[in-house]
Amino acid sequence: MTTTEPPATARTRLSPEQRREQIIAAAQRLYAVQPYNQVSTSALAQEAGVTRGLIHHYFGDKRELFLAAMRESIVMPEPDLPYFPDLPTEQRVRLVVEWILDAASHYGQAWLNASGAANLHGESDVQAIIDEADERAARLTLDAIGLPDSAHLRVRLRALPPLFKSVGREWLQRHTMTREEAATLLTSTVLIFVEETR
Amino acid sequence: MTTTEPPATARTRLSPEQRREQIIAAAQRLYAVQPYNQVSTSALAQEAGVTRGLIHHYFGDKRELFLAAMRESIVMPEPDLPYFPDLPTEQRVRLVVEWILDAASHYGQAWLNASGAANLHGESDVQAIIDEADERAARLTLDAIGLPDSAHLRVRLRALPPLFKSVGREWLQRHTMTREEAATLLTSTVLIFVEETR
DNA sequence: CGGCTTATTGACAGTCTGCCAATAGCCTGC
DNA sequence: GCAGGCTATTGGCAGACTGTCAATAAGCCG
């Protein structure tokens, strides 16, 4: 698409933070629809209302902008769960799972894309970002359940987000699973993973 | 890297099948080390010992070659498990899980890269290939356990490969989990997923 | 209001991808 | 063993895209 620039409102000068956010927001909009290689820096610049040069000035690299956009797309929102210390673990876990599924159905496509996304063949930069997000999700989940934040439990829990995504996809996208079924399966699995049997 | 072509052995003419395989093999070698965007068609051609033009002739597109290479990297090998109809389900599942972990440790990095790979932001072509592989893995697993191939069970099981990958990564790459622990967690989870509670 | 800092631009060079006409292996029939 | 044809293979061309850099001007400060 080689469109000629619109009138191009006279050059305005923003603070670096504002500009960064503006550009990242534009990138998120585009990458939500098209994959990385099909989004040109020209398109990114146009969507953000700036010049290609500026993008490289702020992010140095097309890839770097992509990673920055992803880093912000992927954060799990802070759960605001009422905490019931008296409930048995199973029910607390169930509550957390329900909360995650709520968030999933709310964020929909975005969550599915982001949460379990991974890479293929050595795209380790993306993997690193996802790992960070999964680690954070593990901490949040442990906290929400009311379990101590032990290193060992976190290792186990951070393996789960990919499963949440794949199950979520069956439920939300393919409609091959009911929400009830998804919640039950995930609750049981989480319970297995937090059990301190060894 | 702008290297000048080596002496270039005189043009040899192969059957389309041979050539295709040769090119795909070369692509697999490169994509195992470098991500998609960092592998140029020139590099692919050079590794395969052919010209860029030929790659486009066979695959039409750089992307198409990538997908073909991936399709072949991702297939789960056919399990050759002895089948013990008398064992309880739990033990049969355990055997299958152990077999998968064996395969994982054998194929190592390749398996981890391929098995759970996914995409971000609308790279649906990759997702489609992974889905196919997961579906196949689900069928194989059901068969190995000795369960009937019902559509509903397959839906559940095809959600599991991502979990296998993430757990496998903790064990094989990060060494934060013992093989024993991974096997136990996965066995329990598979049991939950094949249980016909509803 | 004039000057300075620096955000922003525009153009340039190199690389890459996809396309297409030209070339030359290999096989077939004689 | 040789000529001819089919098609695998090549090389070069045009367009697009990425990254770099010096030049420009917007907004702040004295």
Side-chain angles (χ1 to χ4, degrees):
Chain A
M1 200 190 293
T2 324
T3 47
T4 43
E5 313 276 318
T9 60
R11 177 194 288 208
T12 47
R13 191 189 172 106
L14 293 185
S15 80
E17 293 81 27
Q18 285 183 328
R19 198 58 94 182
R20 271 187 70 94
E21 286 180 27
Q22 180 187 15
I23 294 176
I24 287 183
Q28 288 177 321
R29 255 172 284 147
L30 290 186
Y31 285 130
V33 182
Q34 286 176 323
Y36 176 77
N37 339 23
Q38 281 183 35
V39 178
S40 65
T41 50
S42 321
L44 289 164
Q46 187 174 339
E47 176 79 19
V50 289
T51 335
R52 274 187 34 248
L54 198 59
I55 288 185
H56 287 96
H57 172 69
Y58 276 111
F59 298 90
D61 211 324
K62 180 188 172 189
R63 186 78 183 170
E64 215 55 46
L65 168 55
F66 171 71
L67 294 178
M70 202 172 95
R71 217 171 274 125
E72 303 213 353
S73 296
I74 217 178
V75 285
M76 176 176 171
E78 196 86 26
D80 51 351
L81 281 172
Y83 176 49
F84 302 109
D86 299 334
L87 285 176
T89 306
E90 175 170 352
Q91 301 209 21
R92 290 207 303 268
V93 168
R94 176 86 192 196
L95 283 178
V96 173
V97 169
E98 296 283 359
W99 179 87
I100 293 178
L101 292 184
D102 276 341
S105 68
H106 184 257
Y107 291 102
Q109 190 62 39
W111 180 76
L112 288 181
N113 280 340
S115 164
N119 56 335
L120 185 68
H121 297 307
E123 278 192 27
S124 50
D125 50 1
V126 188
Q127 187 65 52
I129 291 180
I130 295 171
D131 286 348
E132 224 174 296
D134 288 352
E135 182 86 19
R136 185 185 131 92
R139 276 200 311 272
L140 289 179
T141 304
L142 276 178
D143 187 52
I145 298 177
L147 287 172
D149 184 7
S150 88
H152 186 220
L153 273 183
R154 233 185 305 128
V155 165
R156 288 184 168 200
L157 279 198
R158 76 184 176 201
L160 285 177
L163 180 68
F164 272 78
K165 182 219 169 189
S166 63
V167 169
R169 222 157 68 89
E170 297 294 344
W171 161 46
L172 282 175
Q173 286 185 351
R174 304 176 150 181
H175 308 291
T176 50
M177 222 184 248
T178 64
R179 180 189 161 126
E180 169 65 19
E181 186 179 3
T184 304
L185 287 174
L186 290 175
T187 301
S188 305
T189 306
V190 171
L191 280 172
I192 284 174
F193 274 66
V194 297
E195 235 162 50
E196 274 297 354
T197 53
R198 65 184 53 250
Chain B
M1 204 188 290
T2 325
T3 48
T4 43
E5 313 276 321
T9 60
R11 177 193 288 209
T12 46
R13 191 189 173 107
L14 294 185
S15 80
E17 293 81 28
Q18 286 183 327
R19 198 56 94 182
R20 270 187 71 94
E21 287 180 26
Q22 181 187 15
I23 294 176
I24 288 182
Q28 289 177 320
R29 252 171 288 145
L30 290 186
Y31 284 131
V33 183
Q34 287 176 323
Y36 176 78
N37 339 17
Q38 282 184 32
V39 178
S40 65
T41 50
S42 322
L44 289 165
Q46 186 174 340
E47 176 79 18
V50 290
T51 335
R52 275 186 35 247
L54 199 60
I55 288 185
H56 287 96
H57 172 69
Y58 276 110
F59 299 91
D61 212 325
K62 180 189 171 187
R63 187 78 184 169
E64 215 55 46
L65 168 55
F66 171 71
L67 294 178
M70 201 171 99
R71 219 171 273 124
E72 303 213 355
S73 296
I74 216 176
V75 283
M76 175 176 172
E78 195 86 26
D80 51 351
L81 281 172
Y83 176 48
F84 302 109
D86 300 335
L87 285 175
T89 306
E90 177 172 352
Q91 302 210 20
R92 290 208 302 268
V93 168
R94 177 85 191 199
L95 282 177
V96 173
V97 168
E98 295 283 359
W99 179 87
I100 293 178
L101 291 183
D102 276 341
S105 69
H106 184 258
Y107 291 100
Q109 191 61 41
W111 179 76
L112 289 181
N113 280 341
S115 165
N119 55 336
L120 185 67
H121 297 307
E123 278 192 26
S124 50
D125 50 1
V126 189
Q127 188 64 52
I129 291 180
I130 295 171
D131 287 348
E132 226 174 292
D134 289 351
E135 182 86 20
R136 184 184 132 92
R139 278 201 310 273
L140 289 179
T141 305
L142 277 177
D143 187 52
I145 299 178
L147 287 171
D149 183 7
S150 88
H152 185 221
L153 273 184
R154 232 184 309 126
V155 165
R156 288 184 169 200
L157 278 198
R158 75 184 177 203
L160 285 178
L163 180 67
F164 272 78
K165 182 220 170 190
S166 63
V167 170
R169 221 156 71 87
E170 296 294 346
W171 163 45
L172 282 174
Q173 287 184 349
R174 304 177 150 182
H175 309 290
T176 50
M177 224 184 247
T178 65
R179 179 189 162 128
E180 169 66 19
E181 186 178 2
T184 302
L185 288 174
L186 290 174
T187 302
S188 304
T189 307
V190 171
L191 279 172
I192 285 173
F193 274 67
V194 297
E195 236 161 47
E196 273 298 353
T197 53
R198 65 186 53 252

